[in-house]
Amino acid sequence: MRYTTILRYAPAWLIAATLLPGCRGGAVAPTVPQLVPPNAPAASPTAAKSWMAAAANASYLLYITRPYAGTVDVYTYPQDQMVGQLSGFSYPVGACTDKHGNVYIADYEQNTVLEYAHGGAKPKRKLSVPAVGPVACAVDRRSGDLAVASEGNYNSGIGSNVAIYPKAKGTPSTFTYGKMRSYTSCTYDGAGNLFVDGKPASSYDNYELA
């Protein structure tokens, strides 16, 4: 079973949605009716425990980060049926996926990235980010490397960098660019090149792309 991914961001990163199509034998995953358990908790900041419907991993899934609620809500696509909620975050912002359908959630306040299996309710791995305020991530589909962009302290630029984890694990290498004081987004192209957007070192400069 394989999954392809599309990553979308709403303005001001209020919502980060990750679309994870699933397939069986090359065919589109079937519609899965009534996946929500009858006693599943509602999507709210008070939801204390992560949950996921048992058959959720057989469906196309849409992951929506809710920074102010501290949760990530999971829906079927395009049915828009809620089938899970990941909780325990302080301020989840960035979201990305790898070619296997694993989902990575960047927690801005905890300076961590949590990895979940497609449709999984418990994290597979927790990565510490050597910076302040991770806001975006991307996975190179060729190598499996995970890139995490951190905003840092906006006024001073302290703690901002791009960390790259080989095979999405272990200790990362970190990179900075003198013309940027903080980083806002990142993505890989099909050849494995990493593109990073950020805020300029000088207020007179335009936004930079490295």
Side-chain angles (χ1 to χ4, degrees), residues 159-172:
S160 60
N161 65 30
V162 176
I164 299 181
Y165 299 80
K167 305 294 183 182
K169 57 186 177 182
T171 301

Side-chain angles (χ1 to χ4, degrees), residues 130-204:
V132 176
V135 293
C137 64
V139 180
D140 180 5
R141 297 179 69 83
R142 297 177 53 162
S143 67
D145 291 351
L146 169 69
V148 179
S150 295
E151 184 180 51
N153 184 287
Y154 180 82
N155 293 321
S156 66
I158 296 174
S160 60
N161 65 30
V162 176
I164 299 181
Y165 299 80
K167 305 294 183 182
K169 57 186 177 182
T171 301
S173 299
T174 59
F175 301 88
T176 58
Y177 178 52
K179 292 186 177 181
M180 291 185 188
R181 66 172 172 177
S182 64
Y183 302 85
T184 56
S185 58
C186 60
T187 188
Y188 282 98
D189 66 13
N193 299 306
L194 177 64
F195 293 83
V196 182
D197 192 16
K199 299 170 185 177
S202 169
S203 60
Y204 297 101

Side-chain angles (χ1 to χ4, degrees), residues 21-31 58-60 77-78:
C23 60
R24 291 180 177 175
V28 174
T31 300
S59 176
Y60 285 76
Y77 183 86

Side-chain angles (χ1 to χ4, degrees), residues 67-133:
Y68 295 106
T71 62
V72 177
D73 295 344
V74 184
Y75 294 83
T76 57
Y77 183 86
Q79 297 88 357
D80 294 330
Q81 183 180 10
M82 188 173 182
V83 291
Q85 184 179 79
L86 307 178
S87 60
F89 303 97
S90 292
Y91 200 82
V93 178
C96 60
T97 62
D98 62 21
K99 64 182 179 181
H100 304 293
N102 297 307
V103 183
Y104 300 85
I105 307 295
D107 193 319
Y108 184 92
E109 291 188 353
Q110 293 295 321
N111 297 324
T112 59
V113 174
L114 291 178
E115 177 188 357
Y116 292 83
H118 175 82
K122 295 182 179 180
K124 297 172 58 178
R125 182 178 289 115
K126 181 178 181 179
L127 299 172
S128 296
V129 178
V132 176

